[in-house]
Amino acid sequence: MRKQVLFILSLFLAINLHAENKFVIEGRVANVPDGLIVELLRNEDNVGMLVASDTLRNGKFRFEEETSGNGTDWMFLTARTENYYSMILYLWVRPGSSIRISADNLLVYTWNVESDVPEQQTRSKILASSRDLWNEYQILDGDYDSLRSRIKSGKYSGEEKKRQKARLDSMKQAKSMLQDRISAVELEAMAKLDVDQAWMLNYVNTAYMVNISKNKDNLEKAKALYAYIPDVWRDSFSGREAKNVLFPQHVVEVGEEAADADLYDIDGKLWHLSDFRGRYVLIDFWSRGCGPCKMAIPEIKEAADKYKDRLVAVSISVDNEKVWKEHSATEGITWMNLSDKNLNTGIAAKYGVRGIPSFVLLSPDGKVVKKWSGYSKGVIEKYISEHIATADVPSGK
């Protein structure tokens, strides 16, 4: 009788959750002190939007939230303390989902997930092939970040600093070797599974790994696996991203004609980079989740004002249209603020953008004269002033 009552209650809960688009995530983590902050984020075109956070108490955390109402949602889960930030645990939820997470460590990327959502099951099958390697990688990655921070803080000097830097280089090499091993086993596992969103996510991540490492065997396996992907997934954002990484289009380099595209402002007006011929053009590829991108804004504004008769600043967002429009108003961008609506698979790929912020400087005749990534104070002004002549330049449009 007791079992029958429990079954009815469970059935009622599942029906109620489904009706309200709700899902529940319950986690149990052993061997980790209470106080760990666990955050749940929803993926919106590769941008993590915070949904909720909880603090580990008595080894437990819990989320009861609503889906977006569009079927299966792709989520991220992260954990942090004052001195620790985890890798991401990928989750998929749908109305009525009841997900159980269990672990006995802080290696969040490989925490065990029990779920009946097909994408999560695909993820678990891939991870089963590489969990031990990923655990080793997470430990090594944490040690690497810790040592790098100590070196940057000035903790070491002289010969000891040289020794620690050599140790850091050795750890970096070990991480690369682990990534090669992970790629090899996961590509083999993926070849035996059907393609879904979780499969595509893993494929894109693996494509980046093999492209960076230049491991020929893994690179050829990844390229061969592309033929296995159905057209519907090849045409998805993930499919286009993977293709750009594994079969890159021509990347415009210094001295070449600038690549162009259909670019739209906040009001939907169509623009092209060629519209600004006659003046230098500073292209700034940015994202709302990028700290250095925000740090660069005052210097871009200063350059746009200082050289207004000879230079046009053009910020191009690699976020989705919704995120771009919502955050543009708060970021203080007063110059040309555009998007090609293709995230990092459109014009950003034509300029070889891999990290942000990325900058490109075009000459008045539409040639690439400088490319660089990252931001540090004074660099934008330095590169612009090096290329802009003191002679008058036609004002153009």
Side-chain angles (χ1 to χ4, degrees):
M1 182 67 179
R2 175 179 169 80
K3 288 184 177 180
Q4 188 176 11
V5 170
L6 288 174
F7 173 76
I8 293 172
L9 286 173
S10 298
L11 183 62
F12 174 79
L13 176 61
I15 293 172
N16 193 45
L17 284 171
H18 186 82
E20 299 179 7
N21 285 341
K22 287 188 176 180
F23 64 89
V24 171
I25 297 174
E26 294 183 318
R28 292 177 176 268
V29 186
N31 301 324
V32 174
D34 283 355
L36 180 73
I37 298 173
V38 183
E39 295 180 331
L40 181 68
L41 302 95
R42 176 175 283 109
N43 173 65
E44 292 189 9
D45 289 326
N46 286 353
V47 176
M49 307 298 289
L50 183 65
V51 174
S53 64
D54 195 13
T55 302
L56 193 70
R57 293 185 179 88
N58 299 318
K60 300 177 183 178
F61 65 87
R62 187 177 191 275
F63 299 104
E64 183 173 338
E65 302 294 334
E66 291 189 3
T67 68
S68 63
N70 297 321
T72 302
D73 285 0
W74 172 18
M75 315 285 286
F76 304 140
L77 188 142
T78 65
R80 61 183 172 87
T81 64
E82 185 177 352
N83 301 310
Y84 169 79
Y85 289 87
S86 75
M87 290 178 63
I88 292 171
L89 176 66
Y90 297 108
L91 297 173
W92 284 266
V93 301
R94 59 186 179 185
S97 293
S98 183
I99 295 168
R100 301 288 182 268
I101 297 174
S102 58
D104 60 0
N105 53 49
L106 276 173
L107 308 180
V108 176
Y109 187 82
T110 48
W111 279 0
N112 184 59
V113 181
E114 295 180 35
S115 170
D116 64 351
V117 179
E119 289 85 354
Q120 196 70 57
Q121 294 177 354
T122 297
R123 174 69 180 162
S124 294
K125 289 174 183 176
I126 296 171
L127 204 54
S129 69
S130 58
R131 176 172 269 106
D132 290 344
L133 292 171
W134 272 118
N135 285 344
E136 188 178 347
Y137 181 90
Q138 289 176 90
I139 293 170
L140 181 59
D141 191 52
D143 292 342
Y144 178 88
D145 287 343
S146 178
L147 178 57
R148 184 173 59 178
S149 295
R150 293 198 300 273
I151 292 172
K152 283 186 174 181
S153 71
K155 181 178 176 64
Y156 307 109
S157 61
E159 289 300 315
E160 181 60 22
K161 185 175 182 178
K162 289 181 181 178
R163 281 194 291 270
Q164 295 301 332
K165 280 189 172 181
R167 183 180 167 218
L168 194 69
D169 290 341
S170 178
M171 293 167 72
K172 184 176 181 179
Q173 194 170 34
K175 284 174 60 179
S176 180
M177 292 173 65
L178 272 172
Q179 286 177 333
D180 283 344
R181 293 169 62 192
I182 289 167
S183 296
V185 298
E186 289 191 351
L187 285 167
E188 187 174 334
M190 290 166 66
K192 302 173 184 176
L193 301 172
D194 292 333
V195 177
D196 60 13
Q197 188 183 56
W199 193 100
M200 288 302 302
L201 165 68
N202 213 88
Y203 184 67
V204 171
N205 289 344
T206 303
Y208 277 113
M209 286 171 63
V210 301
N211 186 61
I212 292 170
S213 72
K214 306 301 181 187
N215 182 292
K216 291 183 179 179
D217 288 342
N218 287 341
L219 190 58
E220 289 307 311
K221 288 177 183 177
K223 287 180 177 180
L225 204 53
Y226 182 80
Y228 174 71
I229 301 174
D231 288 344
V232 65
W233 285 109
R234 286 194 194 185
D235 293 337
S236 69
F237 170 73
S238 294
R240 297 196 306 272
E241 187 175 17
K243 184 179 180 181
N244 276 338
V245 175
L246 294 172
F247 308 96
Q249 57 186 299
H250 174 71
V251 173
V252 179
E253 300 295 352
V254 172
E256 296 182 347
E257 191 79 18
D260 213 339
D262 289 347
L263 300 165
Y264 301 87
D265 64 21
I266 294 292
D267 297 322
K269 182 179 178 181
L270 178 64
W271 294 85
H272 297 93
L273 294 175
S274 58
D275 294 335
F276 312 115
R277 287 286 177 93
R279 284 180 285 179
Y280 283 87
V281 179
L282 174 66
I283 306 173
D284 157 45
F285 291 100
W286 72 287
S287 166
R288 54 78 61 181
C290 164
C293 297
K294 296 179 181 181
M295 291 168 60
I297 286 175
E299 193 169 336
I300 297 173
K301 184 179 188 307
E302 185 178 330
D305 292 341
K306 180 177 179 180
Y307 300 104
K308 61 183 177 182
D309 294 329
R310 293 176 284 171
L311 176 137
V312 178
V314 179
S315 285
I316 299 179
S317 172
V318 295
D319 290 329
N320 67 57
E321 188 172 4
K322 177 184 175 184
V323 171
W324 165 53
K325 289 185 175 181
E326 285 180 352
H327 289 272
S328 287
T330 63
E331 299 300 342
I333 299 175
T334 56
W335 49 91
M336 295 300 300
N337 179 20
L338 308 175
S339 169
D340 68 353
K341 304 180 182 181
N342 285 315
L343 288 79
N344 62 351
T345 67
I347 193 169
K350 293 179 181 180
Y351 284 100
V353 173
R354 286 287 181 263
I356 49 173
S358 278
F359 300 94
V360 181
L361 186 63
L362 306 182
S363 66
D365 61 351
K367 298 288 182 63
V368 177
V369 295
K370 185 70 179 179
K371 294 171 63 178
W372 72 98
S373 296
Y375 173 74
S376 54
K377 189 173 177 59
V379 169
I380 293 173
E381 167 63 24
K382 176 179 182 291
Y383 290 146
I384 290 175
S385 62
E386 285 177 354
H387 288 89
I388 291 186
T390 56
D392 287 341
V393 177
S395 60
K397 294 187 180 181

